[in-house]
C-alpha cells in the first residue's frame, strides 16, 4: 500500500517516473478529482501523485475540487500528504526560488466547498486546527532537509487568497500586518479537508515572486513559471531524501 500522496502543480509530473498509468477512477462522491492519481517512483519508494490543477494545467485555484482530490487519495490508502504550493513572498527574508515549510495559515478564501461535514448525512466534525500543518509528515520534511542539505525556511504563515487574480498592494500590506509571510491560493481548504479525512498534511511552498507591491516591477506570470520549474528539481530531491530517511514509514 502506498501511503504517501504528493499534490503538486503542473510540471512536477514530468520530474517523477510514473510506474503505471493513472489509477483509473476520477469520480468520487464529491464529483470529479483534478486527475486520477498516478503512482510514481520516488527513490526506492513510491507515492501517489495528483496534479492539483489537472494534467494539463487548466483548473483555477477557486475551481479545484479539493474534496474530491483529498477523498480520492484517502480511498487509495494514502495516510500522509505533501502538498506543493506556489507562493509569493511577503517577508523580506524570502526570495524567489526559496522553499518554505509553513506552520500557520490565515484563510481568505470564500465560496469553496471546504468541508466534508456538508449535509445532514455526513458526520459533523469540528476538527482541531490550531496548528494546521503540525504532524509527523512536516517533521519528516524538515528532518530530510537538514539531512540532505536542501535549504529551506522552517515556519511561516501562509495567507490564502482566493485568486485567480493576484493581490493588490494594499491586500498584501494588510496580510503583512496580520503576520503572513507568504501568500498563495491553494493551501485552503486542502489542509483542513486533509485533517477532516484523517490525513497528515504538510505544505512545501515554493516562492515564485515578491508579492504584489513589494517589487518595482509588476509580477510576471511567465517569470513565476520559470522560477517554479527551476525550483522543482530541489523539491524532488527533498522528497527523495524524505522517503529514504531511516525513520520514514513510506
Ligand atoms: N499571490 C498569490 N498566489 C501566488 C503568488 C502570489 O503572488 N505567487 C504564486 N502564487
Amino acid at each position: 500500500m502506498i501511503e504517501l500522496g504528493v499534490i503538486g502543480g503542473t510540471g512536477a509530473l514530468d520530474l517523477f517516473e510514473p510506474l503505471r498509468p493513472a489509477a483509473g477512477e476520477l469520480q468520487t462522491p464529491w464529483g470529479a478529482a483534478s486527475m486520477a492519481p498516478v503512482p510514481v517512483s520516488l527513490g526506492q519508494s513510491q507515492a501517489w501523485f495528483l496534479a492539483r490543477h489537472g494534467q494539463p494545467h487548466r483548473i483555477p485555484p477557486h475551481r479545484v475540487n479539493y474534496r474530491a482530490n483529498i477523498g480520492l487519495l484517502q480511498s487509495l490508502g494514502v495516510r500522509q500528504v505533501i502538498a506543493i504550493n506556489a507562493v509569493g513572498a511577503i517577508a523580506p527574508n524570502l526570495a524567489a526560488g526559496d522553499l518554505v515549510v509553513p506552520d500557520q495559515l490565515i484563510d481568505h478564501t470564500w465560496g469553496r466547498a471546504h468541508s466534508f461535514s456538508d449535509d445532514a448525512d455526513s458526520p459533523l466534525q469540528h476538527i482541531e486546527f490550531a496548528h494546521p500543518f503540525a504532524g509527523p509528515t512536516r517533521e519528516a520534511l524538515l528532518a530530510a532537509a537538514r539531512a540532505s542539505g536542501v535549504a529551506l525556511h522552517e515556519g511561516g504563515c501562509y495567507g490564502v487568497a482566493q485568486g485567480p487574480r493576484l493581490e493588490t498592494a494594499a491586500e498584501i500590506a494588510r496580510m503583512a500586518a496580520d503576520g503572513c509571510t507568504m501568500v498563495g491560493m491553494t493551501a485552503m481548504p486542502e489542509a483542513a479537508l486533509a485533517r477532516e479525512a484523517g490525513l497528515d498534511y504538510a505544505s512545501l511552498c515554493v516562492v515564485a515572486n515578491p508579492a504584489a507591491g513589494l517589487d518595482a516591477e509588476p509580477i510576471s506570470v511567465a517569470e513565476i513559471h520559470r522560477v517554479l520549474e527551476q525550483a522543482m528539481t530541489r523539491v524532488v530531491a527533498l522528497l527523495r531524501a524524505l522517503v529514504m530517511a531511516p525513520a520514514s514509514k513510506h
Side-chain angles (χ1 to χ4, degrees):
M1 180 81 83
I2 305 176
E3 295 197 346
L4 176 65
V6 177
I7 301 179
T10 302
L13 189 57
D14 305 337
L15 297 168
F16 293 109
E17 283 170 45
L19 292 166
R20 304 187 289 282
E25 200 41 67
L26 170 105
Q27 286 299 331
T28 76
W30 303 278
S34 300
M35 66 180 275
V38 198
V40 295
S41 93
L42 209 50
Q44 302 300 309
S45 194
Q46 298 177 1
W48 287 109
F49 180 84
L50 189 154
R52 185 187 288 115
H53 301 283
Q55 189 77 21
H57 186 118
R58 68 187 184 288
I59 309 168
H62 64 296
R63 290 288 185 202
V64 170
N65 190 337
Y66 295 95
R67 289 195 300 194
N69 289 351
I70 293 293
L72 193 52
L73 288 173
Q74 185 201 35
S75 72
L76 289 170
V78 165
R79 310 297 309 149
Q80 297 165 290
V81 173
I82 295 185
I84 303 166
N85 305 93
V87 294
I90 298 179
N93 66 325
L94 299 182
D98 285 3
L99 303 183
V100 193
V101 176
D103 60 348
Q104 274 301 334
L105 65 80
I106 296 180
D107 186 12
H108 292 283
T109 66
W110 50 272
R112 302 182 181 190
H114 67 286
S115 175
F116 290 110
S117 296
D118 210 25
D119 56 43
D121 297 332
S122 315
L124 174 55
Q125 285 197 78
H126 298 286
I127 49 160
E128 205 282 326
F129 205 49
H131 301 285
F133 303 113
T137 305
R138 182 174 185 279
E139 293 310 315
L141 202 52
L142 297 178
R146 289 184 211 119
S148 64
V150 174
L152 55 70
H153 301 267
E154 298 191 8
C157 181
Y158 182 139
V160 197
Q162 173 71 354
R165 67 166 175 84
L166 293 159
E167 298 69 40
T168 67
E171 286 168 341
I172 293 300
R174 179 174 150 189
M175 278 197 191
D178 284 348
C180 295
T181 58
M182 68 200 103
V183 58
M185 302 175 188
T186 50
M188 284 295 282
E190 201 173 80
L193 288 165
R195 179 99 24 123
E196 284 188 354
L199 309 184
D200 189 41
Y201 179 100
S203 160
L204 174 58
C205 292
V206 185
V207 179
N209 56 284
L214 298 182
D215 196 52
E217 298 294 318
I219 296 172
S220 148
V221 173
E223 179 66 6
I224 287 181
H225 286 295
R226 196 191 61 76
V227 171
L228 292 177
E229 207 174 296
Q230 271 195 356
M232 228 34 89
T233 45
R234 273 174 293 129
V235 168
V236 174
L238 187 55
L239 294 180
R240 282 178 195 270
L242 172 88
V243 297
M244 280 177 54
S248 170
K249 288 188 285 163
H250 310 297

